């Protein structure tokens, strides 16, 4: 395995001077590799052994274990660590991506989504809005995009949906909402989801009138319907 573009998802100390890296490769998905001497700041692989680092990694293999031999760093995302909310949003996306990789082989699409959203965070887009966009796109990647203008239960078209039920798959009409754990939403929130679904990651520049409540809607939706719950979400 040589010259593959990766993002460092997690690191763990290994012995006195090494680090074990959990890497997400655009081509091969999730795997681990040992970075020898990475705890020594003067080591050439030290900078490439930090969470969020994105670069072209090369490896050697010995006794069934991969070792990082070198890395051409493309992006380090140092600025995320200077802002707690941006850093927390990045951690949620990384944790969720790692969970998704256990059940999908759509490596390239998820890699592009994650890398581009990290760039948006670093460039100053609102962290909650970027995270909401990531969650909306994840719902589409998993094939569980929420119903937004037709009832998820009966299929009736709704001009102004105002109720949302995560367990049923999205917006629900008042008739079907009886007995369901439906929450109130604004029609504008459903419209925002539709816009986010139709926008490519590289084209996303934020939404006019973004409602921060939409993050909670998508968090609960993926937590219930997609069984994707992230511990790092508690920091937001």
């Amino acid at each position: 395995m040589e010259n593959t573009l990766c993002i460092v998802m997690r690191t763990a100390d290994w012995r006195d001077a090494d680090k074990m890296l959990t890497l997400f490769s655009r081509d091969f998905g999730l795997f681990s590799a040992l970075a020898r001497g990475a705890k020594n700041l003067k080591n050439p692989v030290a900078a490439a052994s930090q969470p969020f680092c994105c670069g072209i990694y090369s490896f050697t293999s010995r006794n069934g274990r991969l070792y990082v031999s070198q890395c051409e760093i493309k992006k380090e995302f140092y600025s995320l660590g200077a802002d707690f909310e941006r850093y927390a949003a990045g951690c949620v996306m990384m944790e969720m991506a790692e969970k998704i990789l256990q059940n999908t082989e759509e490596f390239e699409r998820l890699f592009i989504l994650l890398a581009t959203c990290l760039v948006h965070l670093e460039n100053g887009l609102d962290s909650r809005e970027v995270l909401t966009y990531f969650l909306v796109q994840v719902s589409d990647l998993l094939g569980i995009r929420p119903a937004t203008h037709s009832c998820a239960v009966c299929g009736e078209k709704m001009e102004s949906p105002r109720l949302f039920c995560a367990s049923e798959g999205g917006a629900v009409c008042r008739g079907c909402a009886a007995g369901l754990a439906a929450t109130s939403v604004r029609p504008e929130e459903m419209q925002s989801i539709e816009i986010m679904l139709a926008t490519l990651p590289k084209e996303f520049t934020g939404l006019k009138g973004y409602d921060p409540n939409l993050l909670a809607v998508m968090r609960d939706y993926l937590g219930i319907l997609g069984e994707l719950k992230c511990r790092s979400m508690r920091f937001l």
Side-chain angles (χ1 to χ4, degrees):
M1 184 187 298
E2 293 185 358
N3 302 327
T4 180
L5 188 62
C6 298
I7 296 174
V8 179
M9 306 292 277
R10 288 185 290 112
T11 69
D13 291 342
W14 186 268
R15 296 180 178 172
D16 293 333
D18 307 336
K19 285 187 177 182
M20 183 64 73
L21 311 184
T22 299
L23 298 161
F24 174 18
S25 163
R26 183 180 63 181
D27 303 308
F28 303 106
L30 200 67
F31 62 92
S32 297
L34 190 65
R36 282 187 162 176
K39 293 168 72 174
N40 182 349
L41 296 180
K42 294 182 180 180
N43 190 297
V45 300
S49 303
Q50 306 299 320
F52 296 108
C53 183
C54 179
I56 299 176
Y57 289 74
S58 296
F59 306 91
T60 58
S61 178
R62 191 175 67 201
N63 297 326
R65 174 172 289 165
L66 287 177
Y67 295 82
V68 177
S69 57
Q70 61 183 13
C71 174
E72 178 187 347
I73 296 175
K74 296 298 185 182
K75 200 77 175 174
E76 294 177 285
F77 299 105
Y78 276 140
S79 66
L80 296 187
D83 184 285
F84 179 79
E85 192 166 275
R86 290 184 193 178
Y87 178 78
C91 288
V92 171
M93 292 191 291
M94 300 268 276
E95 183 182 350
M96 185 162 289
E98 190 169 344
K99 289 178 180 292
I100 294 168
L101 285 166
Q102 298 172 11
N103 298 292
T104 185
E105 293 186 357
E106 290 197 49
F107 304 143
E108 185 170 9
R109 181 180 174 186
L110 181 58
F111 186 95
I112 292 171
L113 174 62
L114 175 60
T116 307
C117 285
L118 290 176
V119 170
H120 289 329
L121 287 177
E122 187 175 56
N123 289 343
L125 281 184
D126 181 82
S127 56
R128 291 175 178 265
E129 189 169 356
V130 173
L131 180 53
T132 302
Y133 173 78
F134 180 84
L135 299 184
V136 169
Q137 285 288 317
V138 161
S139 74
D140 185 51
L141 186 149
L142 296 177
I144 54 171
R145 59 161 61 192
T148 54
H149 278 84
S150 60
C151 177
V153 178
C154 69
E156 179 186 353
K157 295 290 184 181
M158 297 178 290
E159 292 186 6
S160 300
R162 296 186 179 277
L163 293 169
F164 191 92
C165 182
S167 61
E168 294 298 327
V172 292
C173 66
R174 293 193 178 278
C176 293
L180 297 177
T183 58
S184 297
V185 292
R186 299 188 304 115
E188 291 80 6
E189 291 178 70
M190 299 297 97
Q191 184 177 12
S192 292
I193 290 177
E194 289 188 338
I195 293 172
M196 288 180 172
L197 284 169
T199 305
L200 294 174
K202 65 180 181 179
E203 297 174 350
F204 183 71
T205 57
L207 294 179
K208 184 177 181 180
Y210 166 73
D211 187 340
N213 181 60
L214 193 54
L215 176 58
V217 172
M218 289 307 303
R219 176 201 65 202
D220 294 344
Y221 182 78
L222 287 176
I224 294 173
L225 202 63
E227 298 183 351
L228 288 172
K229 296 182 180 180
C230 297
R231 290 179 295 176
S232 48
M233 188 74 81
R234 67 184 185 273
F235 298 114
L236 289 167

